Short mmCIF file of all heavy atoms in Angstrom, two decimals:
data_model
loop_
_atom_site.label_atom_id
_atom_site.label_comp_id
_atom_site.label_asym_id
_atom_site.label_seq_id
_atom_site.Cartn_x
_atom_site.Cartn_y
_atom_site.Cartn_z
N ALA A 33 64.55 60.27 30.39
CA ALA A 33 65.31 59.39 31.29
C ALA A 33 64.87 59.58 32.74
O ALA A 33 64.73 58.62 33.50
CB ALA A 33 66.80 59.66 31.15
N ASN A 37 63.25 56.87 35.09
CA ASN A 37 63.84 56.60 36.41
C ASN A 37 62.78 56.67 37.49
O ASN A 37 62.73 55.82 38.39
CB ASN A 37 64.96 57.61 36.67
CG ASN A 37 65.77 57.25 37.90
OD1 ASN A 37 65.65 56.15 38.45
ND2 ASN A 37 66.59 58.15 38.35
N LEU A 40 60.61 53.61 37.28
CA LEU A 40 61.31 52.45 37.83
C LEU A 40 61.37 52.51 39.35
O LEU A 40 61.22 51.48 40.03
CB LEU A 40 62.73 52.39 37.24
CG LEU A 40 62.82 52.04 35.75
CD1 LEU A 40 64.26 52.13 35.28
CD2 LEU A 40 62.26 50.65 35.49
N ASN A 189 67.13 43.62 41.46
CA ASN A 189 68.55 43.80 41.12
C ASN A 189 68.72 44.32 39.70
O ASN A 189 69.55 45.20 39.42
CB ASN A 189 69.30 42.48 41.30
CG ASN A 189 69.35 42.04 42.77
OD1 ASN A 189 69.40 42.88 43.66
ND2 ASN A 189 69.34 40.75 43.01
N GLN A 190 67.88 43.76 38.78
CA GLN A 190 67.93 44.22 37.40
C GLN A 190 67.53 45.69 37.29
O GLN A 190 68.18 46.49 36.61
CB GLN A 190 67.01 43.37 36.53
CG GLN A 190 67.08 43.70 35.04
CD GLN A 190 66.18 42.80 34.22
OE1 GLN A 190 65.51 41.93 34.77
NE2 GLN A 190 66.15 43.02 32.93
N TYR A 191 66.44 46.06 38.01
CA TYR A 191 66.00 47.46 37.99
C TYR A 191 67.06 48.37 38.61
O TYR A 191 67.27 49.50 38.14
CB TYR A 191 64.68 47.61 38.74
CG TYR A 191 63.48 47.08 37.99
CD1 TYR A 191 62.34 46.66 38.66
CD2 TYR A 191 63.50 46.99 36.60
CE1 TYR A 191 61.25 46.17 37.98
CE2 TYR A 191 62.41 46.50 35.91
CZ TYR A 191 61.28 46.09 36.59
OH TYR A 191 60.20 45.62 35.91
N GLN A 192 67.70 47.88 39.68
CA GLN A 192 68.75 48.70 40.29
C GLN A 192 69.90 48.91 39.32
O GLN A 192 70.46 50.01 39.22
CB GLN A 192 69.23 48.03 41.58
CG GLN A 192 68.24 48.12 42.73
CD GLN A 192 68.72 47.41 43.97
OE1 GLN A 192 69.75 46.72 43.93
NE2 GLN A 192 68.00 47.57 45.07
N SER A 193 70.29 47.84 38.60
CA SER A 193 71.37 48.00 37.62
C SER A 193 70.95 48.96 36.50
O SER A 193 71.74 49.81 36.07
CB SER A 193 71.75 46.64 37.03
OG SER A 193 70.63 46.06 36.36
N GLN A 194 69.67 48.82 36.04
CA GLN A 194 69.18 49.76 35.03
C GLN A 194 69.16 51.18 35.56
O GLN A 194 69.48 52.13 34.84
CB GLN A 194 67.77 49.35 34.57
CG GLN A 194 67.74 48.07 33.75
CD GLN A 194 66.33 47.69 33.34
OE1 GLN A 194 65.38 48.38 33.68
NE2 GLN A 194 66.19 46.59 32.61
N ASN A 195 68.76 51.32 36.84
CA ASN A 195 68.73 52.65 37.44
C ASN A 195 70.14 53.26 37.50
O ASN A 195 70.35 54.43 37.21
CB ASN A 195 68.13 52.56 38.84
CG ASN A 195 67.81 53.92 39.42
OD1 ASN A 195 67.88 54.92 38.72
ND2 ASN A 195 67.47 53.97 40.68
N VAL A 196 71.11 52.42 37.86
CA VAL A 196 72.50 52.90 37.90
C VAL A 196 72.98 53.29 36.50
O VAL A 196 73.62 54.33 36.31
CB VAL A 196 73.41 51.82 38.52
CG1 VAL A 196 74.88 52.21 38.38
CG2 VAL A 196 73.07 51.61 39.98
N ALA A 197 72.61 52.44 35.49
CA ALA A 197 73.01 52.76 34.12
C ALA A 197 72.35 54.06 33.65
O ALA A 197 73.00 54.91 33.02
CB ALA A 197 72.63 51.61 33.19
N LEU A 198 71.06 54.22 33.98
CA LEU A 198 70.37 55.46 33.61
C LEU A 198 70.97 56.66 34.32
O LEU A 198 71.09 57.75 33.75
CB LEU A 198 68.88 55.35 33.91
CG LEU A 198 68.08 54.39 33.02
CD1 LEU A 198 66.66 54.26 33.53
CD2 LEU A 198 68.08 54.86 31.58
N GLY A 199 71.33 56.49 35.60
CA GLY A 199 71.99 57.58 36.32
C GLY A 199 73.31 57.96 35.67
O GLY A 199 73.63 59.16 35.52
N ASN A 200 74.09 56.95 35.27
CA ASN A 200 75.36 57.24 34.58
C ASN A 200 75.10 57.94 33.25
O ASN A 200 75.82 58.87 32.86
CB ASN A 200 76.13 55.94 34.35
CG ASN A 200 76.57 55.30 35.66
OD1 ASN A 200 76.85 56.00 36.64
ND2 ASN A 200 76.64 53.99 35.70
N ARG A 201 74.03 57.47 32.55
CA ARG A 201 73.69 58.12 31.27
C ARG A 201 73.28 59.56 31.50
O ARG A 201 73.66 60.46 30.72
CB ARG A 201 72.53 57.34 30.61
CG ARG A 201 72.07 57.91 29.27
CD ARG A 201 73.15 57.94 28.25
NE ARG A 201 72.68 58.43 26.98
CZ ARG A 201 73.45 58.77 25.97
NH1 ARG A 201 74.78 58.66 26.09
NH2 ARG A 201 72.92 59.20 24.84
N VAL A 202 72.49 59.81 32.56
CA VAL A 202 72.07 61.18 32.87
C VAL A 202 73.30 62.05 33.18
O VAL A 202 73.40 63.20 32.74
CB VAL A 202 71.08 61.18 34.05
CG1 VAL A 202 70.87 62.60 34.58
CG2 VAL A 202 69.75 60.60 33.61
N LYS A 203 74.25 61.49 33.94
CA LYS A 203 75.47 62.25 34.24
C LYS A 203 76.24 62.56 32.96
O LYS A 203 76.74 63.69 32.78
CB LYS A 203 76.33 61.46 35.21
CG LYS A 203 75.75 61.37 36.62
CD LYS A 203 76.66 60.59 37.54
CE LYS A 203 76.06 60.49 38.95
NZ LYS A 203 76.94 59.69 39.85
N GLU A 204 76.36 61.54 32.07
CA GLU A 204 77.07 61.78 30.81
C GLU A 204 76.38 62.87 29.98
O GLU A 204 77.02 63.76 29.43
CB GLU A 204 77.15 60.47 30.01
CG GLU A 204 78.06 59.43 30.66
CD GLU A 204 78.06 58.12 29.88
OE1 GLU A 204 77.31 58.06 28.87
OE2 GLU A 204 78.78 57.18 30.27
N LEU A 205 75.02 62.77 29.90
CA LEU A 205 74.28 63.78 29.14
C LEU A 205 74.44 65.16 29.77
O LEU A 205 74.58 66.17 29.06
CB LEU A 205 72.80 63.41 29.07
CG LEU A 205 72.45 62.17 28.22
CD1 LEU A 205 70.98 61.84 28.35
CD2 LEU A 205 72.81 62.41 26.76
#
Side-chain angles (χ1 to χ4, degrees):
N37 190 11
L40 291 175
N189 294 327
Q190 184 178 0
Y191 286 155
Q192 287 178 352
S193 61
Q194 290 179 359
N195 191 10
V196 172
L198 290 173
N200 295 328
R201 179 60 177 168
V202 168
K203 290 181 181 178
E204 292 177 358
L205 291 174

